[in-house]
Amino acid sequence: MRDPSPTSAAVSGPGRASFPFPYTPYRIQEQFMAALYAALEAGRIGIFESPTGTGKSLSLICGALSWLQDFEKKKQEEEARLLAPEGSGQEEKQTLASGGLACPNSRDASGEPDWVTAFVQKKEEQDLVHRLKEEQIRRKKREERLEKIRHNVQLKYAAKRKRSEEDETKRLLQLSKEILSEGAGAAVPEQLDHNEEELILAEYESDEEKKVASGLEEDDDDDLEEEHVTKIYYCSRTHSQLSQFVHEVQKSPFGKDTRLVSLGSRQNLCVNEEVRRLGALQLINDRCTEMQKNKHEKKSDAEVEGKKRRVSRTVCPFYSYEQMQFLRDEVLVEVKDIEQLVTLGKETKACPYYGSRYAIPAAQLVVLPYQMLLHEATRSAAGIILKDQVVIIDEAHNLIDTITCIYSAEVSGSQLCCAHSQLLQYMERYRKRLKAKNLMYIKQILYLLERFVVMLGGNVNQNPSCQVVSQTGTELKSINDFLFQSQIDNINLFKVQRYCEKSLISRKLFGFVERYGNPAPVVKTNKENQKLAGLQNFLMTLQQGSYKEGPLQSPPVEADSDQLRAASPLMHIEGFLSALTNANEDGRVILNRQGTIGQSSLKFLLLNPAVHFAKVVKECRAVIIAGGTMQPVADFREQLLSYAGVDPARIVEFSCGHVIPPENILPIILCSGPSNQQLEFTYQTRDLPQMMDETGRILCNLCNVVPGGVVCFFPSYDYEKQVYAHWEKTGLLTRLATKKKIFQEPKKANQVEQVLAEYAKCIKRCSQAGGQMTGALLLSVVGGKMSEGINFSDDLGRCVIMVGMPYPNIKSPELQEKMTWLDKTMPRSASQAPSRVLIENLCMKAVNQSIGRAIRHQKDYASILLLDHRYARPAILNKLPQWIRERIQVKPAFGSAFAELRKFHRGKSD
């Protein structure tokens, strides 16, 4: 990494002379970068909080990359010292030699003769020097190669011309192949081998391309074995957040000289249109993996002479090692986001998914989604090595829930019955071809599926949609109890799971279904008028006349609206089996019996996510957990880091204020409404008509004085609907609508953008036109689509209202089990049980995320209203973000609160 642009602003910090920055930073950004640098240098686990609008991303980039730059310099200086041919190194060697000769019989503290110790030390030094020399050679080669690409435009054109020639050759070969194969369909023998599920239509790959892919030069082997340089892994929740971060890097002083690679799923990175068309991630993964397998096997197939030629297997034309090397170097030369990476892949005819992975060893900054970093198997498959590296987890407020979800697995009754039906027919179709061991394992899997359905109260041989569950409800069992009651405790699940993994049975089953099923392996469904009949009769007629037994009808697979389902549900079931085998005493199985067997499900629940996070913190040099709202941080310390075995002395916390001046925010805790009704929205009282009326009166008053947009958060969709219906009935809704146009948050994700656009248009129109209508009121839901990741800046959110305290449903069996587990395993604090702390923390995390939507930049302003007297309790108050807590006012009566709000908004509009 070269020194960033000298035109950038620079600030000083402890442990570093200056931090390059694209503009003069805020004081809190300076503090953030200094604290981050110190944490990385000391190898700490940091919990960093910086409110949205304070430039957190740039602070992370400039602070972390400044540290990396210094680290690389120190390392190179140390290398130079050790590799110096003369000076101290020679003197040390002479000292060691003379010491060994003068006292041949002397011994060191370990009892070894001095000459033995000296010999060992010398050998270690020689090994170190040899390793450093190799690293230096590799680094120089890489730098020369990248510099050549950076400045040699002709090289790019040559590569492009070569690709055009190859495309033309491929097109002519395809034409020839089509001409030769005309009319040959009838000559293809009906008999199909055991690999028939791999026979799918796609592009043919020529022998020349195959030679390029397999004929690696000596230099290429060196590149493959390239050691991982010290790097920073940055991960966030969504694809858009990662792209935004990459754009910030591009704009930063480090944008031109940082070797950055963006990693993503095949769904985001695949450039093979035939594979992309499959839609569902699981199908894309399966097809891609199968194509790579075909590529590696094709060479050995071609070498077998004298045998009957197999039907050509499909290989991916973008999986060319030569082209992927070119893509790798292009990625390292210039910072690119996912979209730019995909465009480059299409231009270079190289796979961005695999090509980007080749860039990991040499990259200084790797940008990737949560799943890829936090899931051990995915991490390993991607070639990510965390040993002595730095990890930054951004938007980490939901980190505990994220890890829990990543390692949880759920299968529906429909999937279980469908997998059983498919596998049974697969076994009958190929019974004579399968080896005894294959048959044994398939029968074991069939038995497992049968017993799982029995546990849900159904019969695997009947249509799951027609089987009504007699006893609905949710039941929770330990792993051992579930295995015993399922009567599968005599089956070695480890061996079955390993068989599934090694035999690729789910992929073979998918190929079987695809061959004999309906033309479309993926079916889009609509809940109202479709029942996903795509697999219902997929094997009603087999092409082999010798199969006389009528095949079992494959049961319909139910799916949520607009959800894509894979034709092979066995992959989901493999995930569930894997969870059962990896589980310890911290795992539970939830039996959810609902309506029909098809709607019922089995779910594995992980109670202790720290087990998996422990591996990350143990391997890494430093881990930074960052977010706009990290309060309350007790969860991270106690549930995650403490259980992961992190020494409390290694943990460092940093929280900064907001960039807005104190007079730009007015947070109020309101204890009672206009008619002096105490505000306490518990499950028992919130449904009372007087509570709903009081909430409406508060909103009517506020809409008279607040300009622009008002966002009101309710604890749930059901309660928001209930209140809306009540206001409609009492006429309160009509009164509200005279001042603000009312919008409701939609449940469907694909409708959110449209509602937000209409909401914004309405506010803009009202501000320009003037008149009685002053803006819009958006009724939202805590934990919904609009409580995270949506910006209500400026006029879009001049007031944010929180109705009640959004406590989670404590009747949920999953939550109850988590609470019981925490009370058993976590030491009780002085005032509260761990389970009670968990409930409060979950509530306040949701509140903090929602109320942070309004203030998005330095000149923004907004009022925040918390409607419930319980917010004033010290234990709750302390869990609000510091920048809100410092300015909050507790108002027992509505009159004084309303006066403050009117004064605040009138002062801002003047």
Side-chain angles (χ1 to χ4, degrees):
M1 189 190 293
R2 291 174 291 182
D3 285 330
S5 163
T7 57
S8 314
V11 294
S12 61
R16 196 184 207 275
S18 64
F19 290 102
F21 214 74
Y23 53 82
T24 304
Y26 303 127
R27 176 72 188 132
I28 57 172
Q29 289 177 312
E30 296 174 10
Q31 293 166 346
F32 187 102
M33 289 186 287
L36 176 63
Y37 189 99
L40 297 180
E41 186 65 21
R44 298 291 194 90
I45 308 296
I47 302 171
F48 277 64
E49 183 181 54
S50 181
T52 308
T54 55
K56 169 169 58 77
S57 295
L58 262 178
S59 301
L60 280 169
I61 290 162
C62 296
L65 290 177
S66 292
W67 172 83
L68 184 63
Q69 187 183 71
D70 289 355
F71 180 84
E72 286 178 350
K73 275 183 184 171
K74 285 177 199 167
K75 194 177 175 186
Q76 284 175 22
E77 284 168 10
E78 184 63 17
E79 278 180 19
R81 189 185 66 78
L82 286 165
L83 295 173
E86 292 176 8
S88 60
Q90 291 293 329
E91 286 167 17
E92 282 171 21
K93 288 171 193 173
Q94 286 168 10
T95 307
L96 285 170
S98 61
L101 287 169
C103 311
N105 297 317
S106 64
R107 294 175 179 271
D108 69 358
S110 65
E112 292 285 355
D114 285 350
W115 68 270
V116 172
T117 308
F119 177 79
V120 170
Q121 285 177 344
K122 189 178 178 183
K123 180 77 171 67
E124 285 173 356
E125 278 179 16
Q126 285 174 341
D127 289 346
L128 177 63
V129 167
H130 180 68
R131 195 166 67 250
L132 289 173
K133 278 181 181 174
E134 281 187 341
E135 273 183 36
Q136 208 173 51
I137 291 164
R138 269 196 216 96
R139 189 168 62 243
K140 279 180 182 173
K141 269 175 71 179
R142 182 181 66 234
E143 285 168 1
E144 283 168 10
R145 190 178 71 234
L146 297 182
E147 202 62 29
K148 194 176 174 185
I149 291 170
R150 194 176 277 116
H151 299 295
N152 193 347
V153 182
Q154 209 161 358
L155 195 70
K156 292 184 184 181
Y157 286 121
K160 204 169 183 179
R161 191 171 63 251
K162 187 182 174 190
R163 285 194 300 276
S164 299
E165 288 168 5
E166 286 171 355
D167 286 348
E168 182 61 20
T169 309
K170 221 186 287 180
R171 192 181 68 81
L172 292 170
L173 280 169
Q174 187 64 28
L175 272 173
S176 308
K177 181 173 168 277
E178 283 168 9
I179 292 162
L180 287 169
S181 62
E182 274 180 17
V188 176
E190 280 193 2
Q191 189 179 6
L192 301 162
D193 66 18
H194 68 284
N195 280 321
E196 66 181 3
E197 73 283 349
E198 295 172 353
L199 309 181
I200 46 178
L201 295 170
E203 271 180 278
Y204 172 80
E205 187 198 34
S206 67
D207 292 334
E208 286 82 3
E209 286 174 321
K210 189 170 66 182
K211 283 174 190 169
V212 165
S214 58
L216 303 177
E217 295 173 11
E218 205 171 326
D219 272 6
D220 297 338
D221 283 328
D222 286 344
D223 287 330
L224 279 172
E225 292 166 14
E226 188 173 6
E227 283 189 37
H228 286 237
V229 302
T230 301
K231 64 180 90 290
I232 295 163
Y233 286 98
Y234 171 90
C235 65
S236 193
R237 270 183 326 125
T238 65
H239 170 69
S240 60
Q241 284 168 343
L242 293 171
S243 286
Q244 195 178 336
F245 179 82
V246 173
H247 294 153
E248 291 286 339
V249 174
Q250 288 170 331
K251 289 188 291 183
S252 79
F254 298 89
K256 297 227 183 299
D257 305 308
T258 300
R259 297 191 303 276
L260 179 149
V261 58
S262 294
L263 302 181
S265 66
R266 287 180 175 93
Q267 206 166 27
N268 287 324
L269 288 173
C270 180
V271 289
N272 185 331
E273 282 306 318
E274 185 189 334
V275 179
R276 282 178 68 85
R277 275 199 297 269
L278 294 170
L281 178 61
Q282 182 198 327
L283 290 182
I284 291 172
N285 286 342
D286 286 355
R287 180 62 57 84
C288 177
T289 310
E290 202 66 37
M291 281 177 154
Q292 305 330 311
K293 185 167 163 265
N294 290 346
K295 182 120 185 169
H296 297 308
E297 285 181 359
K298 199 165 181 184
K299 187 181 176 186
S300 57
D301 286 347
E303 285 168 357
V304 178
E305 291 181 10
K307 290 190 177 180
K308 188 177 175 181
R309 184 178 175 82
R310 287 184 180 177
V311 181
S312 174
R313 293 180 187 174
T314 305
V315 291
C316 182
F318 295 92
Y319 192 74
S320 156
Y321 183 73
E322 186 183 50
Q323 293 310 120
M324 287 191 293
Q325 268 192 313
F326 180 77
L327 182 135
R328 172 201 66 186
D329 292 343
E330 281 286 322
V331 164
L332 293 172
V333 160
E334 189 180 15
V335 172
K336 292 176 178 63
D337 64 13
I338 292 280
E339 284 74 22
Q340 292 165 326
L341 188 56
V342 168
T343 304
L344 179 66
K346 287 175 180 175
E347 284 175 4
T348 58
K349 292 286 193 295
C351 174
Y353 178 74
Y354 285 103
S356 59
R357 291 179 177 206
Y358 285 134
I360 294 173
Q364 294 163 313
L365 181 57
V366 179
V367 178
L368 69 168
Y370 277 173
Q371 167 81 18
M372 205 170 274
L373 184 115
L374 297 172
H375 191 262
E376 192 179 4
T378 309
R379 191 164 71 230
S380 175
I384 294 165
I385 299 170
L386 295 182
K387 182 72 177 159
D388 297 329
Q389 307 291 19
V390 170
V391 163
I392 296 175
I393 302 170
D394 202 0
E395 301 298 330
H397 53 274
N398 284 333
L399 181 59
I400 295 169
D401 293 338
T402 301
I403 300 170
T404 302
C405 288
I406 285 171
Y407 285 96
S408 294
E410 187 169 15
V411 287
S412 68
S414 277
Q415 288 171 329
L416 292 166
C417 291
C418 188
H420 185 277
S421 175
Q422 291 176 9
L423 192 57
L424 186 66
Q425 291 166 96
Y426 176 86
M427 184 182 75
E428 291 300 329
R429 174 77 175 91
Y430 301 120
R431 184 183 285 275
K432 291 175 184 176
R433 299 173 187 270
L434 294 169
K435 302 286 184 189
K437 197 164 261 189
N438 276 326
L439 277 172
M440 178 192 80
Y441 277 115
I442 289 173
K443 284 179 178 176
Q444 283 189 342
I445 296 167
L446 287 168
Y447 178 71
L448 289 173
L449 297 173
E450 185 185 326
R451 296 311 304 170
F452 289 162
V453 174
V454 168
M455 286 297 283
L456 291 173
N459 184 334
V460 78
N461 293 315
Q462 292 175 16
N463 191 320
S465 301
C466 302
Q467 295 182 66
V468 179
V469 175
S470 55
Q471 268 189 316
T472 58
T474 306
E475 200 179 344
L476 226 125
K477 296 183 184 295
S478 69
I479 306 296
N480 286 338
D481 285 350
F482 175 74
L483 298 178
F484 183 74
Q485 288 170 31
S486 303
Q487 298 175 17
I488 58 172
D489 51 317
N490 59 335
I491 290 179
N492 188 327
L493 291 181
F494 290 92
K495 285 189 174 180
V496 173
Q497 196 256 331
R498 186 166 174 77
Y499 171 76
C500 290
E501 190 184 311
K502 296 294 177 187
S503 66
L504 302 176
I505 189 165
S506 63
R507 290 181 194 126
K508 292 180 186 296
L509 193 59
F510 168 66
F512 174 65
V513 173
E514 188 183 46
R515 183 172 185 81
Y516 289 120
N518 281 348
V522 178
V523 185
K524 227 175 184 180
T525 65
N526 184 291
K527 221 172 195 173
E528 286 76 26
N529 55 23
Q530 276 188 13
K531 286 243 180 166
L532 185 57
L535 289 172
Q536 192 166 1
N537 300 305
F538 80 98
L539 288 180
M540 285 302 285
T541 53
L542 289 175
Q543 291 182 7
Q544 289 283 340
S546 59
Y547 182 52
K548 292 176 184 174
E549 290 179 32
L552 290 166
Q553 187 172 329
S554 182
V557 179
E558 293 179 1
D560 291 333
S561 176
D562 298 325
Q563 185 180 359
L564 289 167
R565 284 291 177 118
S568 175
L570 191 60
M571 180 64 79
H572 293 281
I573 293 151
E574 281 183 25
F576 182 69
L577 285 176
S578 179
L580 288 180
T581 53
N582 290 333
N584 52 19
E585 66 276 6
D586 299 331
R588 299 288 183 274
V589 176
I590 300 165
L591 287 79
N592 185 22
R593 302 184 182 98
Q594 299 292 329
T596 65
I597 292 297
Q599 294 165 334
S600 302
S601 65
L602 295 173
K603 182 179 180 181
F604 170 76
L605 173 68
L606 178 71
L607 294 173
N608 184 13
V611 173
H612 298 286
F613 195 62
K615 292 169 185 173
V616 175
V617 292
K618 189 180 177 184
E619 288 183 12
C620 290
R621 173 197 173 89
V623 176
I624 304 297
I625 303 167
T629 309
M630 298 298 286
Q631 289 292 339
V633 295
D635 278 0
F636 296 103
R637 272 187 171 273
E638 292 160 16
Q639 279 190 57
L640 200 60
L641 302 178
S642 175
Y643 274 109
V646 177
D647 182 352
R650 196 184 170 199
I651 302 168
V652 60
E653 283 180 34
F654 176 86
S655 179
C656 62
H658 213 294
V659 290
I660 58 161
E663 62 271 15
N664 277 22
I665 179 173
L666 177 64
I668 291 175
I669 293 171
L670 187 59
C671 300
S672 59
S675 64
N676 291 325
Q677 169 75 46
Q678 188 187 47
L679 300 176
E680 185 173 351
F681 293 84
T682 62
Y683 285 112
Q684 292 77 31
T685 61
R686 71 183 191 182
D687 296 340
L688 297 171
Q690 58 263 40
M691 289 300 289
M692 293 189 275
D693 289 339
E694 197 74 339
T695 308
R697 282 191 283 270
I698 291 167
L699 278 175
C700 278
N701 279 289
L702 286 177
C703 288
N704 284 329
V705 296
V706 178
V710 175
V711 184
C712 182
F713 284 102
F714 289 87
S716 67
Y717 283 104
D718 288 342
Y719 188 57
E720 186 267 328
K721 261 188 189 173
Q722 188 184 346
V723 172
Y724 188 89
H726 179 78
W727 289 348
E728 211 168 22
K729 191 175 157 187
T730 59
L732 218 147
L733 206 63
T734 311
R735 279 169 57 199
L736 274 171
T738 59
K739 281 287 180 185
K740 305 277 184 191
K741 186 172 179 182
I742 299 165
F743 293 86
Q744 287 176 280
E745 178 178 325
K747 261 192 172 182
K748 290 183 180 178
N750 59 0
Q751 295 172 355
V752 170
E753 286 297 325
Q754 186 188 343
V755 172
L756 281 173
E758 290 297 321
Y759 171 74
K761 271 185 203 169
C762 176
I763 291 167
K764 191 176 180 183
R765 198 167 52 241
C766 291
S767 69
Q768 289 169 348
Q772 192 180 4
M773 187 79 77
T774 61
L777 169 64
L778 179 61
L779 305 179
S780 300
V781 176
V782 175
K785 310 290 182 298
M786 295 180 183
S787 63
E788 285 188 40
I790 304 288
N791 290 347
F792 293 110
S793 60
D794 301 316
D795 276 352
L796 294 182
R798 288 303 181 201
C799 181
V800 174
I801 301 161
M802 179 65 63
V803 178
M805 297 186 72
Y807 281 109
N809 180 12
I810 55 170
K811 290 181 181 176
S812 153
E814 296 181 35
L815 188 55
Q816 283 184 346
E817 191 66 22
K818 178 88 175 180
M819 289 163 69
T820 307
W821 180 81
L822 282 174
D823 285 340
K824 277 182 187 173
T825 58
M826 191 181 279
R828 186 188 173 92
S829 64
S831 55
Q832 287 179 308
S835 56
R836 183 64 202 166
V837 174
L838 170 74
I839 295 298
E840 275 186 6
N841 287 351
L842 288 171
C843 168
M844 292 311 293
K845 268 189 198 303
V847 169
N848 294 340
Q849 277 304 307
S850 301
I851 62 179
R853 300 295 96 208
I855 303 289
R856 311 309 281 180
H857 58 84
Q858 191 182 19
K859 293 180 181 176
D860 209 352
Y861 70 90
S863 54
I864 296 169
L865 208 56
L866 305 176
L867 306 186
D868 202 304
H869 75 94
R870 292 174 293 172
Y871 281 110
R873 293 174 185 169
I876 301 293
L877 201 58
N878 287 332
K879 288 174 181 175
L880 286 167
Q882 185 187 339
W883 62 280
I884 292 177
R885 191 170 66 238
E886 286 171 349
R887 304 166 194 187
I888 205 150
Q889 299 180 31
V890 179
K891 298 288 183 183
F894 180 76
S896 59
F898 183 70
E900 283 285 345
L901 284 159
R902 185 169 51 194
K903 181 183 167 188
F904 175 81
H905 286 287
R906 279 186 179 170
K908 293 297 172 190
S909 56
D910 290 345

